[in-house]
Amino acid sequence: MSARDLIVGEAELDDEEADESFDENNGEVRRKVNGAKGVNGVNGHLSDSSEEDEDDDDEEAARAVREGFIVDEEEEDPETRDRRRQERKKRRREERDEEEAGLDEEDLDLIGEANPEFERRIQTEPKLKRLKRGHKDDREARPRGVDDIFDDEEEEDRMQDRPRNRRVEDEFADFIEEDFSGGEGGGQEDDDDIAVRRRPARNIIGAKEAAGLDEVALEDMKEVFGDGLEYDWALEAQDAAELREQGQADPEDPEGLDKGIELKDVFEPSQLVDRMLTDGDNLVRMTDEPERFQIARKPYRNVEFTDADNREEAIWISALMLPKKRLDADLKEPFQKAVAKVLEFMNTDNCEVPFIFQHRKDYLIHAQRMPVSPDPNNPGASEYVMSAEKLLTQSDLWDIFENDLKYRALVEKRQALQRTYDSLQGMSEGFRDPVIEETLSEAVTMEELQDIQDYLHFQHSARLADMAIVNGAQTNSTQRRPGASKMIFDRIRTGNVYGLVRAFGITADAFAQNLKPGNRRQYTEDPTERPDDMADSEAILDPPDYSSGAQCLRAAKAMFAEEIYMSPRMRKFMRQAYFMNALIDCHRTEKGLRKIDEQHPFFEIKYLRNQQLSDIAQDLARFLRMLKAEEEGLIEVRVRMQNRTAFTNNLYKDLESDNFSEIADAWNRERREALDMAMVKLEKMMAKGLKEAMRTECENQIAKVCRDEYGKRLDQAPYKPKGMQLGTVPRVLALSNGSGIFGRDAICWAWVEEDGRVLENGKFTDLTLGDPERATEDGADVKALVELVERRKPDVIGISGFSAETRKLYKQVDDIVERKELHCADFEDEDGNPMSDKLDVIIVNDEVARLYQTSDRANMEHPGFAPLTKYCVGLAKYVQNPMTEYASLGRDIVSISFDSNQRYVPEEKLVKQLETAMVDMVNLCGVDINEAVSDVSQASLLPYVCGLGPRKTTQLLKVINLNGGEVTTRAELVGDPEANKLAAIGPRVWNNCASFLYISFENSDPDMDYLDNTRVHPEDYDIGRKMAADALELDEEDIEAEVNENGPGAVVRKLIRDEAQDKVNDLILEEYAEQLEKNFNQRKRATLETIRAELQQPYEELRRNFALLSTDEIFTMLTGETRDSLCDGMIVPVSIKKVADDYVEAKMDCGIEGTVPALAISNRPDVSAKQLFSAHQTVQAKITYLNRKHLTANFSLREDELHRPYRKEIDRIRDEWDEEEEKKDKESMMEKNDVSGRTQRVIKHPLFKPFNATQAEEYLGSQARGDLVIRPSSKGLDHLAVTWKVSDNIYQHIDVLELDKSHQLSSGTTLKVGGRYNYSDLDELIVNHVKAMAKKVDEMMLHEKYQNLSKAEVERWLTTYTEANPKRSVYNFCIDLKHAGYFHLCFKAGQHAQVQHWSVKVVPQAFELQKNMYPDMRALCNGFKLIFANMQSGRRR
């Protein structure tokens, strides 16, 4: 058999082997009929005679094609024509199959070179022999139930021939085979791929027999090359598309003639969302409106604004912003007008914030003429001076935009309530509710509208239910399903008991109106009977529900209390009272008592009391810490009203009657009780609302603090090379030793040109400078570094790293530059004289580089670089342009810390604020549109350009490339039919972005306009040209001649050509501004200044100089510590590096090294340091001096120093701290410690730390998964505790029992864990117990069935999956957040089954499920399926 016989290209069957096949069902060898034509493509059985007839038809059709026989279609009947179309379709598919399955001549040559026995086959005449595709199984696909649970096969796999009545045990045995073969390249697919169903792929049968390959070889071939059918569904779609182009219907989809293949037919929905390719995304692309406007206003598309709404909005937003602006009283009206104008620009003109700030700046300034006293020495002086007051900043404009969205939501809800009320009036003639009519028009907050909605559903629930029945659906999205309590109140309202409610003598709304100062009081009327007598009367009793007077009176009080609670006016009054008089207290819980010690970050709020809202406003983050501690169960935040007793007594007075009688007293008692009942619910509601309102405000303010800090980091120009203009991109040499030890580990470096190309990179090891006095030579790599610098001439050397060792590298490189006299590139001074200066060495902020080194972008740009080299590239790029590097991070920007409290702000809110800072800075700097087309880093700035976004950016770049890949004028972005230029954006978007996309001016190109290279908007080009003409002193005839000869931009071009830009400084812009406002009603004073500046220097660099890191910033970057987390006086664990007789060298975990002088080693001067301490020992030390610049420290190990713990000084005002409760808690804790009688132990092991559980968790917080500490145990001296990190924020504490101890404080020679595991020492316990479990945790988390979600999220995912795949069952693992060392096995056996979960325990070397041990994940999955199958079969029996 030759190699040709292995090729299935023509599917030609030779030899007797091809005439036989193996029947898988009975094991017999069956003789094939007619070569390969008897093979069925689905189950491998022999085909029947009908298949032979069909194949004969195909052979006849093929013969007709070979002979060139053409049939006239007009002579055929429709049935024949359809049959021929189907045959052509089959033939195309089969020919494609043959073509793909075959090998071309080059492949055969390669085979021949590898196989000396191969003989090249002489080409014979072509044969039209092909393999037929078998029929699908005639039986119907049985529905998948519990028996098929967790099957990972696709539908086509289940279409294969199987015994129909299989036992449950057999079925799950098949699943076990699947799991064993899953790693061998079997048919198991990812769950995400399963969710998108494909039609069963066409199969080519007979390949094994035709090629002469056995089963194993065929499987190997499939594993390497695939089976060739992966894209069959796409080929079938192509066939259908070809038929549609010919106007023919696909026989398999006769209704799909007009339906083409779409992206959603190819990609999964989640992929379309990630790539922004959904229908909604395409709508955003094509709609001529700024993208950020479309996304933000999407929920309010259907809100219709009236002129009254527009006027009200300006007043509403001004009222929100004025208290924070603190403007003078006379500026209140101008401020409101400015807000109204900004809203007009946003809502009517669709102008984004950067456009308004840049081109409508005059409307943000209040300018007025102020008269001045005449100057006798200058009679011609002006009688007025202009006084300008800035009303709105760019940050204020973003606030207006956010408040506009809030107002839209307010209007939408108000309109919905109004429609509901109008519908109720339409159903019931004469119906009206004055409370709704009056309060709805007065409501100005969402809380007030919610109060009205609650009142509407409480007071008119029966009418709303009737309206829902009439309409057949819920009305206006405000109809809610009534609860049981609402139904009770409805029965009271319609029954006799409500007469007792009326007898209270005043309505809830009238009572609420009495509370508002200035309102006319409505007096309470007393009935003629006592409450209990009236309740016992026949007119009130309403059996069977209310058959006694006591029941009726209780129901009436509850009803009246509920009416007070539901009253919109009462809620508004209570809300205002609470915000004015609320006090906030923090009460520690039992958990907080144990966990919050003096070193805990929440200690400052543990006993905090009597906090007013003004106090919280001074420290917003502290309130968020309160809420975070409450979420963790450490404290309880309670809100109460100041002087509540006096407040309640005043309420009683407005509710009670003024009469003096026994009856009046009795009714007043009932009224007070009803009010007390209402106050309980009102206070609970107000407290919750106040906490949420304060949370939102605090989050917003901290997010703005992060935004301001981010803005400062963006406001950095590239590092300025000496002698160059600000904005010039430098050439950078970046070095880093990462987290390595200086002098021992490698130092990576990268050389980056000004255009961003990395031309060189490498490694240094020894950069030690020699000492001539000691006759020591320079390190091996010093010469290489000097040669590199002298050859490349960098403008700056940037250094950074991950540890305090980087400080040593910086000092060494700076010394090399100093001693070797290394200089930067030559430059000229102001007089043009050549100069040279010392090369700068700086420490670079590495927050972006840390993210860059592991990013997809770095892997794509530099795939062969080591991670630390990529880190160096990131440092260099940051020095060259910080803004571009920040923009490239996208949503990863939230990984960078801008404020220590930003972790308390929701990510979406933080991203939104940070995006506004980027938008401001990108539009300040502008983007060269042609560079963005070719440069990915510049293209990353485009989504932040005014009017654009990620969706419109992709459309913009796509159209520019279609237009030739280059833009010559701004105007062509909206299309130029004469030049065959497609429109990249619409007119409105172009109006927003035009001035922020600049085009570098080429004087040699007559079509280019100089103003396209400036910040001047095209709408102001005529003004700029007029200013240029006036500066050149051209008359109208000269201007006309220039324009006729060189086009509209000729005058400006002449100004530049003549280098006469300075002449524009002689223009009096005040007169220009007056003329523009007088003649065109345009305020352009600030715009004229911009034009003048741009004519002289287009797109001048307006960012600040590159900011060098301060000492504190370097300290935090290299150590991870701040002034709050590490300072003098703190007691910290240190690792001893060296012990001498008179000193000790030690190192902190953060990398700071220090010494312990002789007098600070011990209280006992007669004992040497070597007797007390040894190298690698971990001890507690007190910081006596911390040098933040050089990252060094002095420590003390004296016992008397260590017994005085560090306590942060906190200035507290009177009554702010509950000292009495703190004292009681300390005494209680001391009693517990005395009872335990615990002695501090020290174990000589590098992983031993004198920590408690909380300190151990904090220490491991920044460590890797699986790291651990050994610490003393609270259970006594015969126990140790091992704390290890299971995952982020999950730690397991292992109790270790020590046996066979030589004395009380020594370590036991036998260590027992959990009563079942014994170890001889700590190292064995670490390796065979902790590390073994950590390995199992890694195995679990890396398994394909593991999801990094919470249990609730996994359950939702399972539900969603089974809804999308009703016949499938599915399971997943997730971590147990409450029990360290455990995982949840969540599964759902079909669409209608309940989600269940079992616990999986991680033990050394195994997983434990249902008391069964499994050595690995494969065994665990199979064991689970067997257990579940046995349970199901047991239920059936």
Side-chain angles (χ1 to χ4, degrees), residues 1325-1356:
L1325 183 146
I1326 291 170
V1327 173
N1328 294 333
H1329 194 90
V1330 180
K1331 293 298 183 182
M1333 289 195 295
K1335 185 177 180 181
K1336 288 300 168 187
V1337 171
D1338 290 339
E1339 183 181 351
M1340 170 70 78
M1341 290 186 164
L1342 293 174
H1343 193 263
E1344 60 184 2
K1345 288 293 185 180
Y1346 176 79
Q1347 293 209 35
N1348 190 23
L1349 303 171
S1350 66
K1351 188 179 79 169
E1353 291 172 329
V1354 170
E1355 290 177 350
R1356 285 196 294 270

Side-chain angles (χ1 to χ4, degrees), residues 313-350:
E313 181 180 14
I315 299 172
W316 187 78
I317 294 179
S318 300
L320 289 178
M321 297 181 64
L322 265 174
K324 300 178 183 178
K325 294 294 292 183
R326 298 179 181 177
L327 297 174
D328 295 337
D330 58 339
L331 293 177
K332 181 178 179 180
E333 185 177 350
F335 179 82
Q336 187 173 313
K337 290 181 179 179
V339 170
K341 200 67 181 176
V342 169
L343 289 171
E344 179 185 337
F345 294 144
M346 288 182 177
N347 298 333
T348 304
D349 301 338
N350 277 316

Side-chain angles (χ1 to χ4, degrees), residues 435-448:
V435 174
I436 296 177
E437 293 176 357
E438 295 170 8
T439 57
L440 189 58
S441 59
E442 298 172 356
V444 293
T445 65
M446 291 296 289
E447 291 81 7
E448 293 176 11

Side-chain angles (χ1 to χ4, degrees), residues 525-555:
E525 299 294 334
D526 291 322
T528 57
E529 296 180 88
R530 290 174 54 86
D532 47 357
D533 293 337
M534 179 179 287
D536 287 329
S537 65
E538 293 294 331
I540 299 299
L541 293 175
D542 193 4
D545 294 332
Y546 306 103
S547 55
S548 68
Q551 287 180 323
C552 294
L553 190 56
R554 282 197 302 270

